[in-house]
Amino acid sequence: MQPTATVLVYSDDSGTRQQVRLAAGRRPAPDVPPVEFVECATLPAVLSALEDGGIDVCVLDGEAVPAGGMGVCRQIKDEIFRCPPVLLLIGRPQDAWLATWSRAEAAVTHPIDPVALADSLAGLLRQRRSVDA
């Protein structure tokens, strides 16, 4: 893995994207690299960023409109070769089965709990590092 990790954050809501950035901080855990964020507000922007490469983890908002993060997750898992792991933001704990359907590796609920998000993101970055090693 490069000296920094690149995290794609998808939400149509700029406030949600900001909450993810603030919750993750510059480094979500001491044993993972510092993170840089690529923010996307639309599905075409997500697909373009993933096709360009260099994304280590995706954080997708399940409540985004018109393309929700669950559907986006399933689509990129089908269409992107070596798709990065996905952390899905879900509206309520009962939606965890939908996160599983979408093939997300992890999920956290709205409102965003900074500790839960940082822990989940760090876990996915560790997973990505072990795959790349």
Side-chain angles (χ1 to χ4, degrees), residues 86-104:
V86 173
L87 171 57
L88 195 58
L89 305 176
I90 56 177
R92 53 197 186 124
Q94 296 87 341
D95 293 334
W97 73 273
L98 287 168
T100 301
W101 167 85
S102 70
R103 296 189 237 147

Side-chain angles (χ1 to χ4, degrees), residues 43-60:
L43 174 58
V46 170
L47 297 176
S48 177
L50 288 171
E51 288 172 5
D52 290 345
I55 304 295
D56 293 298
V57 174
C58 297
V59 179
L60 307 178

Side-chain angles (χ1 to χ4, degrees), residues 12-96:
D12 65 312
D13 182 349
S14 62
T16 299
R17 295 191 308 268
Q18 180 181 20
Q19 288 176 9
V20 170
R21 286 193 328 270
L22 292 173
R26 293 183 182 158
R27 185 177 229 154
D31 64 328
V32 299
V35 294
E36 295 179 355
F37 296 97
V38 173
E39 293 188 38
C40 298
T42 65
L43 174 58
V46 170
L47 297 176
S48 177
L50 288 171
E51 288 172 5
D52 290 345
I55 304 295
D56 293 298
V57 174
C58 297
V59 179
L60 307 178
D61 182 3
E63 305 297 310
V65 290
M70 292 180 203
V72 171
C73 181
R74 191 158 174 102
Q75 179 178 347
I76 65 175
K77 291 294 183 175
D78 285 340
E79 295 178 3
I80 303 297
F81 181 66
R82 293 188 183 157
C83 183
V86 173
L87 171 57
L88 195 58
L89 305 176
I90 56 177
R92 53 197 186 124
Q94 296 87 341
D95 293 334

